[in-house]
Amino acid sequence: MNEQQLIQYVKEINETDSEINMLLLRKYTAIMELQLTSKQAVLIEHLNKHKRMTVSELANKMNITSSAVSQLVSKLDKEGYVKREINPNNRREIFVELDQTGLDHIAHYEEVELSIIKQYYSKLDMEDIKALRTIGRKLLAIVEADLK
């Protein structure tokens, strides 16, 4: 495959992915809680994955300043998405974890994700699903290795 073909195929893949996301967003907007900004949603996803993190760990994962994370956490704390706790072993360090609204948000998101899987992905052959997973993992590994 030459470079022009590669560029064309990748653009088509990206365009298809974008169209799928737009269609799903249109369908699920009414039941999705869209009051979170993208950075707030990313912060919540990190906390869901890691359960409890410090402000500096979140800043590192999100590639933003600790001050920016503190502002996000403050707003999300007021809205009940997260809760903060001072580290008893290091009082300058603050632990952050999901609070009830954040847990509810994750549960709701997972319900929507399961609905999408059952309604759309289930119509693909298992071999296609496995190939999609394999390709996604390979591309992720390539990007991660390059960014280290």
Side-chain angles (χ1 to χ4, degrees), residues 11-23 121:
K11 284 185 174 189
E12 287 177 19
I13 291 166
N14 290 340
E15 187 176 305
T16 300
D17 188 50
S18 180
E19 287 179 32
I20 290 168
N21 288 334
M22 294 302 279
L23 288 168
Y121 284 87

Side-chain angles (χ1 to χ4, degrees), residues 59-112:
N60 185 44
K61 285 276 187 197
M62 296 176 68
N63 199 29
I64 60 176
T65 66
S66 291
S67 175
V69 169
S70 292
Q71 290 176 0
L72 289 169
V73 167
S74 182
K75 183 165 174 54
L76 290 169
D77 184 26
K78 287 177 187 167
E79 296 173 0
Y81 284 90
V82 301
K83 54 187 171 185
R84 297 179 274 193
E85 179 183 322
I86 295 173
N87 180 351
N89 299 323
N90 179 357
R91 300 201 45 85
R92 293 183 303 173
E93 195 172 61
I94 297 172
F95 289 126
V96 184
E97 60 187 78
L98 291 176
D99 204 350
Q100 193 57 53
T101 303
L103 293 168
D104 293 345
H105 173 82
I106 292 296
H108 184 71
Y109 178 83
E110 288 174 353
E111 286 175 24
V112 170

Side-chain angles (χ1 to χ4, degrees), residues 21-31 115 119-120:
N21 288 334
M22 294 302 279
L23 288 168
L24 291 173
L25 184 61
R26 190 178 311 142
K27 177 175 180 166
Y28 289 97
T29 294
I31 60 173
S115 173
Q119 189 165 0
Y120 303 108

